[in-house]
Amino acid sequence: MTVGVGKKRVAICAVAQLKNDPDLWHTRFQGMLLEILEDLQRQTGFRYGEGGVEQIVSVSDDFFDARTISNNGVQDVLGGQYLAEEKMAQEGLNAIGYANAVILSGHKDVVLIMGHCKESQGESRNLITNCGFDPFYGRAVGLDYLNAAGLQARAYMAKSGLTDDHLARIVARSRQWAAKNPYANARETLPPGKVKASPMLCDPIRQLHAYPVSDGAVGLLLASEERAREYTDRPVWITGFANAMDAFFFGDRDLTSNFALKKAAAKACERAGIRDLKGAADVVEVMDCYAYQQPMWMEGLGFCGDGEGARFIDEGGPGKYRVNLSGGALAGNPMIIAGLYRAVEAALQLKGEAGDHQVPDARCAVAHSTNGPAGQFHSVLILEA
Amino acid sequence: MQKHRKNRNVAIIGIGQTALSSHKEDQNQVEMVAEAVRNALEDAGKTIDDIDCVVHGNMELFEMQFQPDMWHALGCGSYGKEEYRITTGGTVGATLVCASDNLVASGLYDTVLCIGFEKLQEGNTTGGITNMADPLWFRNLQTGALTSTTAMELIQKFGKERVLRAAMKYRIMMDKHAMLNPRAHRRLGLEYDQMETLMETSPQLVGELRLIHMCSQSDGACAMILTSEDRVREGTAKPPVWIRDHETSHREENMSNLYGARKPKSTHRDCAERLFARNGITDPLGYFDVFEMYDPSAFWAVDWLGEFLLLEGDEHLRLLEAGEFDLDGKLPVNPSGGVIASNPIGATAMLRIAEAALQIRGDAGGHQIKKEVRHALASGFGGSLWTVLMILEKEPNW
Amino acid sequence: MSRYYGTTVDDIFDTMPERFQPQEAKDVDVVVGYECGGEGGGKWRLKVREGAMAVEKVEGDLGPCTATVFAADAETFIGVTLNKIAALDALTSGKLRITGDASLLMNLLPRIFKPYRVPGPAPVTARDIVAGMADRFRPDKAAGVSLKFAYDLTGEGGGRFTVAIADGRCRVTEGLEKDAAVKMTMEASTFVGLMTGTMDATAAFTSGKVRIDGDMGAAAATGRYFDRYVPPDAPRVEELLSLKKVTSIDQRFATGPVMGKWFAGLRERKLLANVCPVCRRTMIHPREVCASCHVRAGEYVELGPEGYVTNYDLVYYASPDPLTGAVRDTPYACAWIMLDGASPEEAFAFEIKKEDLPRLKIGSRVRPVWAEKTVGSFRDLLYFEIID
């Protein structure tokens, strides 16, 4: 397996994550990020300023924070004092893609990524995502990312033969793995029967099919190939990153086609110099906020054929391909940094630091995230040890 | 100071703007963005198929649209393409160009389209700005974006009459520039003999800050297309404008510690010092042929001329008084009329870079500087007094 | 000519008495002067006192006024009044000037006067609309229909009418025929509002503005058989759709231990700062990290209580509250205060007592004034006052 395509590479030197929690009422964003900062400093000894971190890429959302320029409030903790800081205002995996470009451009050698979000702060994340729809039609009709997912779930289940039964097993598996991950939010194991019995949230999505409201924070330190060894003995290399956008109005899309995800995956593979993820990846972390998304995104990433999602589950695909051993987004991450948590998990696996859910000899990992309604936008990150 | 080594060079090859006004009820956000994008593509002689990646930004709480780049996909042309969304507040327009420069320089993307926009009319601007403050404390004290503390400092240092005249001279100069720019939003036709009258009669907002000194609130969008030097060599519709370097300087949210007994260094001066030093520019006033400065108010503008140009004492006032920042002066400032004339916040900082680029290209139109423009400086401002600074060049001379 | 936008400056003042809303003017005692230059201009003095108003055109001096509006010319005055010219542009360019209490014009006058509207052609009456019903009748939509319904329209411009539809024809007669299937009673103005679309039908029916005697179904069906009424001089301008909505999402902001200490300090009437172990700056209010040194600051000290002013903002214009439109009392001042014991950059920004504003200077020594009961909130600290 080739690593990179003969170009310079960028490494993830260290990662830090806060345990995802249903309600971090006792701390504010600054406190959450400070823990991440101190963790990364402990691991790497990095300093701010000339010769160290001169660029920070933050991830936060103004709606979720209820704060214009949400990076302003945490600027002191981020470390942007007479330094450059830029906020990624989309799901955080894209911060890694962007930071990768910043370093490859030669502009900066070392970049710190820090993201935070409290989904518990606002009375309803559905009220927020409702504002993601156009004011005249989508919002008025009451669309939000939950019922958008419901529409997509219904369509995908019809296409792939995925049933309520499959969804229950996906959730049950997620909990089993989350139980081994001290950073996961929902770690209580559930038998499939209990999942099937949970009330409908947005048919066909049951309450237990949906990711719980979560608060969290994540950080990563990235460095150029020349500088990586200053910060770690076990750099994790970014070999490919790509994202892709689908149309916005549902009438313009085929909700089951994975149009954007396939494009992003293909481009990421091209950049990484690998033929397909199915053959290359030892570990996969997909952002499955709703149970149906796990097989659907795996299909989009090429781990099974079109419309084969149900078969993928029946044949033990998630186990075989080591999917979401962290518990995945299903176990609960705030949606705007759920992809960053996937990247953190992937990096830990490649560093050999995944503890109870470590895959032995993991050399290549994929982290995925999605943004927008019903997977309008997808991002794929390929990492290699 | 580490010498800056860019992986490959990047040029601006397309610039598109919409008209700027406070009455754009006949367009929704998507249509407004599409207009800017189409103008940029036409300017570059390209089609949307030539774009590899779109970079989008604004301040979403102004329009109350969550993840607006999703709805805007139709207008941005981002369908099927890669895309990033970066937001940093008032500086965002400039940050988008910096980010696009990074993306193209990285080698991963050849041609990038960046879009900054704002439709302030669709939301409540004061509400949006007030929401910038910490809900636990400063939101209760916030007076919007209006403050006279810098005027107070300048007056302490240089005397009231001189400072008030300098601010008014700057304001009228900006309007004169705006009168030459058909795209500017507020064009009042002010004359210098109105100075005294305006100083007395313009409604007082805060302290010495009067209505006449303050920037507008505008709606509009700006789009720019950047590409790699290889692509430039294949041929461009208009002369390319090279991005030499850029830097960003932020600081903590707290603004109480800006006007204490000892004043900390401004991010403007810090950014300029670092950027100029690593580019070997020791005399910015002499080096640059134009400066498009993000000037939210006349008093800040007067102060920041000194900060950005690394001047000491009252040199910035003397230069202003001598007309050296006028269109025919030593270093013309804001030939476009600046932010005081037009301010569609998400696009404003990008417009500074766009206007500087137009000056280098020589096609700024009515407000084109007569002397040849080879070296341009553009600044962005926002947040708790943050700075983004970019150097543009006619030739890749570094 | 001094006629602009279809009207004159005199018209605006002549209509003031009829636009006056006395119920909004209780406790008001103001004199507003108006001076409009050029042709068609002049000077007017408006007095509002004890719920009554008087406006007169004056020659010579306007005398003492609570506020005075100066317009450069009639076009500016009329244009701004009708919102054809943005007040902001007029103020900025100097064509409009205001002396005295400007907040009067922003808040008080719009409240006590109904907005001036350029008088249009004679308004259409209910009678006119009914009279034209036969012309708007659609026999194609009324095929096989036999229906008689009556309108009892009270008030000026109204009347009693019966409309009979039969054999593809429509006949309108005066009077209420007893065999009408349904009678609809309402004020003539309500009828006009419903027919011109300026009044919401559902709201009118629900709120009892329309009374129905007889067959509800018949009442609902009446609109079906006629083309919509279009006023004779309706402008042929395409109306832009505009959607207004207030989005509201409740928030629960966390305090965290560091801000928690700050508020606990306020409850004790203490102004606490935390000290960076590296650079020793005193951060007030306390912060989780020192932004310069990137380390926690666990040491807390009490600053002040007294200090001196290094800068201040004297606010004359307060932005209206985005939700309520309420405007703060001005002027008010926010000052930057170097509390005793603070490190040289770390000023504390807070408000100054309103009564002290006239003597506020850079260098003024101040002390905090606390609420009678402190609970650990922003409101514990009322303001800083000048120490004599």
Side-chain angles (χ1 to χ4, degrees), chain B residues 30-310:
Chain B
V30 183
E31 289 163 335
M32 191 176 78
V33 163
E35 186 186 326
V37 170
R38 272 196 291 267
N39 290 345
L41 287 172
E42 194 185 308
D43 188 65
K46 298 255 176 235
T47 71
I48 196 69
D49 293 335
D50 298 312
I51 304 296
D52 301 315
C53 179
V54 176
V55 184
H56 178 284
N58 75 319
M59 290 173 71
E60 66 262 44
L61 288 192
F62 281 137
E63 293 86 13
M64 284 304 278
Q65 183 71 28
F66 176 68
Q67 300 187 333
D69 54 332
M70 296 295 131
W71 176 30
H72 292 186
L74 197 58
C76 293
S78 55
Y79 173 71
K81 298 193 192 295
E82 296 194 75
E83 191 256 15
Y84 291 93
R85 181 170 150 80
I86 299 177
T87 68
T88 51
T91 49
V92 67
T95 302
L96 294 171
V97 186
C98 295
S100 303
D101 174 58
N102 291 337
L103 291 169
V104 176
S106 73
L108 294 168
Y109 310 90
D110 280 339
T111 306
V112 172
L113 166 71
C114 56
I115 305 156
F117 79 97
E118 214 71 68
K119 221 153 183 281
L120 295 177
Q121 222 192 1
E122 292 192 2
N124 186 291
T125 308
T126 303
I129 292 178
T130 309
N131 269 336
M132 202 182 107
D134 172 17
L136 294 181
W137 190 258
F138 290 108
R139 209 169 283 189
N140 298 294
L141 284 171
Q142 180 87 355
T143 58
L146 304 176
T147 174
S148 184
T149 44
T150 297
M152 186 79 84
E153 283 181 337
L154 290 171
I155 289 171
Q156 294 280 103
K157 263 206 277 202
F158 303 111
K160 188 165 179 175
E161 202 196 316
R162 188 178 188 193
V163 170
L164 294 187
R165 288 190 73 81
M168 197 52 72
K169 152 112 184 129
Y170 183 86
R171 177 61 185 97
I172 297 174
M173 182 174 78
M174 285 303 112
D175 188 63
K176 285 191 169 297
H177 294 179
M179 290 301 285
L180 298 169
N181 178 6
R183 278 189 307 262
H185 177 189
R186 290 235 142 84
R187 305 157 75 218
L188 306 173
L190 302 175
E191 297 295 344
Y192 283 113
D193 58 16
Q194 286 176 267
M195 234 177 169
E196 263 75 25
T197 318
L198 289 168
M199 289 200 309
E200 263 167 64
T201 61
S202 179
Q204 289 175 294
L205 297 175
V206 179
E208 294 302 335
L209 186 76
R210 292 177 185 264
L211 187 59
I212 189 79
H213 297 123
M214 271 309 289
C215 59
S216 309
Q217 284 176 13
S218 321
D219 289 348
C222 179
M224 286 175 60
I225 300 174
L226 279 64
T227 199
S228 66
E229 54 187 312
D230 300 327
R231 292 266 188 245
V232 169
R233 259 182 246 125
E234 289 168 15
T236 60
K238 301 262 170 80
V241 177
W242 298 95
I243 296 177
R244 176 171 179 165
D245 199 359
H246 54 83
E247 190 52 84
T248 295
S249 185
H250 280 199
R251 56 173 298 284
E252 56 187 306
E253 69 166 326
N254 183 13
M255 292 198 272
S256 311
N257 55 12
L258 285 173
Y259 307 107
R262 185 177 73 200
K263 201 176 140 78
K265 185 187 283 198
S266 68
T267 61
H268 319 293
R269 189 172 284 260
D270 169 71
C271 205
E273 278 173 356
R274 288 190 284 132
L275 186 64
F276 297 157
R278 72 167 180 253
N279 283 281
I281 295 170
T282 51
D283 172 26
L285 181 66
Y287 182 76
F288 291 108
D289 301 314
V290 67
F291 181 17
E292 275 282 336
M293 175 173 69
Y294 192 125
D295 55 346
S297 84
F299 289 105
W300 271 346
V302 169
D303 186 36
W304 299 350
L305 283 170
E307 295 296 279
F308 280 121
L309 300 173
L310 306 180

Side-chain angles (χ1 to χ4, degrees), chain C residues 239-305:
Chain C
E239 210 181 278
L240 294 173
L241 289 173
S242 166
L243 181 68
K244 282 196 195 339
K245 187 172 192 309
V246 174
T247 304
S248 175
I249 306 175
D250 280 354
Q251 303 291 321
R252 186 175 44 104
F253 295 111
T255 308
V258 173
M259 283 302 274
K261 274 209 175 54
W262 165 250
F263 287 119
L266 293 182
R267 194 174 53 215
E268 313 285 307
R269 297 191 163 88
K270 291 192 179 143
L271 297 166
L272 295 179
N274 60 352
V275 185
C276 173
V278 175
C279 69
R280 308 300 302 163
R281 69 148 135 168
T282 56
M283 298 181 282
I284 178 165
H285 59 72
R287 309 280 321 183
E288 281 77 1
V289 281
C290 169
S292 312
C293 309
H294 316 284
V295 290
R296 280 182 201 261
E299 183 192 334
Y300 285 79
V301 295
E302 188 187 344
L303 295 182

Side-chain angles (χ1 to χ4, degrees), chain A residues 67-68 80-83 85 87 89-90 105 107-109 131 139 145 243 245 271 371 376, chain B residues 2 7 64-67 70 80-83 85 87 108 128 132 246-247 250 252-253 265 274:
Chain A
R67 183 124 182 215
T68 304
Q81 189 78 343
Y82 301 110
L83 293 175
E85 182 265 336
K87 161 155 63 79
Q90 55 189 169
S105 76
H107 190 66
K108 299 284 186 237
D109 292 336
C131 291
R139 261 196 240 192
Y145 288 9
N243 57 35
M245 178 75 82
R271 287 183 172 138
N371 202 52
Q376 182 185 345
Chain B
Q2 178 185 34
N7 181 49
M64 284 304 278
Q65 183 71 28
F66 176 68
Q67 300 187 333
M70 296 295 131
K81 298 193 192 295
E82 296 194 75
E83 191 256 15
R85 181 170 150 80
T87 68
L108 294 168
M132 202 182 107
H246 54 83
E247 190 52 84
H250 280 199
E252 56 187 306
E253 69 166 326
K265 185 187 283 198
R274 288 190 284 132

Side-chain angles (χ1 to χ4, degrees), chain C residues 69-368:
Chain C
V69 180
F70 298 86
D73 48 43
E75 186 178 358
T76 301
F77 189 87
I78 297 167
V80 172
T81 303
L82 292 175
N83 271 317
K84 300 287 186 196
I85 296 176
L88 195 61
D89 281 342
L91 283 168
T92 308
S93 67
K95 285 188 149 203
L96 190 69
R97 276 193 306 128
I98 299 166
T99 60
D101 188 354
S103 68
L104 256 196
L105 289 119
M106 278 183 53
N107 299 333
L108 185 65
L109 293 179
R111 218 180 65 219
I112 64 179
F113 286 101
K114 283 194 276 225
Y116 173 75
R117 299 218 189 284
V118 178
V124 70
T125 62
R127 179 172 281 277
D128 295 334
I129 295 175
V130 173
M133 271 181 101
D135 296 329
R136 294 195 306 280
F137 177 63
R138 292 286 299 272
D140 55 313
K141 293 194 166 171
V145 172
S146 207
L147 176 66
K148 197 183 270 189
F149 56 96
Y151 290 109
D152 187 351
L153 307 176
T154 60
E156 200 179 313
R160 294 172 157 167
F161 314 94
T162 302
V163 180
I165 297 174
D167 305 322
R169 279 198 296 271
C170 170
R171 200 190 60 205
V172 181
T173 50
E174 293 255 6
L176 301 171
E177 284 179 38
K178 286 212 168 60
D179 61 338
V182 63
K183 179 178 82 167
M184 289 164 279
T185 308
M186 69 193 90
E187 282 185 28
S189 56
T190 301
F191 182 74
V192 173
L194 290 173
M195 297 304 263
T196 55
T198 54
M199 192 178 290
D200 175 38
T202 315
F205 279 85
T206 316
S207 63
K209 282 197 153 89
V210 179
R211 190 179 124 181
I212 303 195
D213 291 303
D215 185 350
M216 260 303 249
T222 52
R224 220 180 281 160
Y225 312 123
F226 300 88
D227 278 332
R228 267 201 58 204
Y229 174 75
V230 176
D233 55 0
R236 303 188 81 251
V237 169
E238 232 192 299
E239 210 181 278
L240 294 173
L241 289 173
S242 166
L243 181 68
K244 282 196 195 339
K245 187 172 192 309
V246 174
T247 304
S248 175
I249 306 175
D250 280 354
Q251 303 291 321
R252 186 175 44 104
F253 295 111
T255 308
V258 173
M259 283 302 274
K261 274 209 175 54
W262 165 250
F263 287 119
L266 293 182
R267 194 174 53 215
E268 313 285 307
R269 297 191 163 88
K270 291 192 179 143
L271 297 166
L272 295 179
N274 60 352
V275 185
C276 173
V278 175
C279 69
R280 308 300 302 163
R281 69 148 135 168
T282 56
M283 298 181 282
I284 178 165
H285 59 72
R287 309 280 321 183
E288 281 77 1
V289 281
C290 169
S292 312
C293 309
H294 316 284
V295 290
R296 280 182 201 261
E299 183 192 334
Y300 285 79
V301 295
E302 188 187 344
L303 295 182
E306 295 179 5
Y308 67 94
V309 172
T310 48
N311 207 324
Y312 61 92
D313 268 340
L314 193 53
V315 182
Y316 300 108
Y317 168 77
S319 315
D321 182 285
L323 282 178
T324 65
V327 178
R328 278 184 70 164
D329 243 0
T330 54
Y332 67 89
C334 180
W336 276 254
I337 300 161
M338 289 304 298
L339 294 169
D340 294 339
S343 53
E345 290 177 6
E346 307 298 319
F348 179 65
F350 209 76
E351 284 185 35
I352 298 290
K353 182 174 175 182
K354 198 179 166 81
E355 290 77 6
D356 285 346
L357 293 189
R359 47 199 194 109
L360 180 61
K361 288 198 297 282
I362 295 194
S364 295
R365 269 202 79 78
V366 294
R367 68 170 157 240

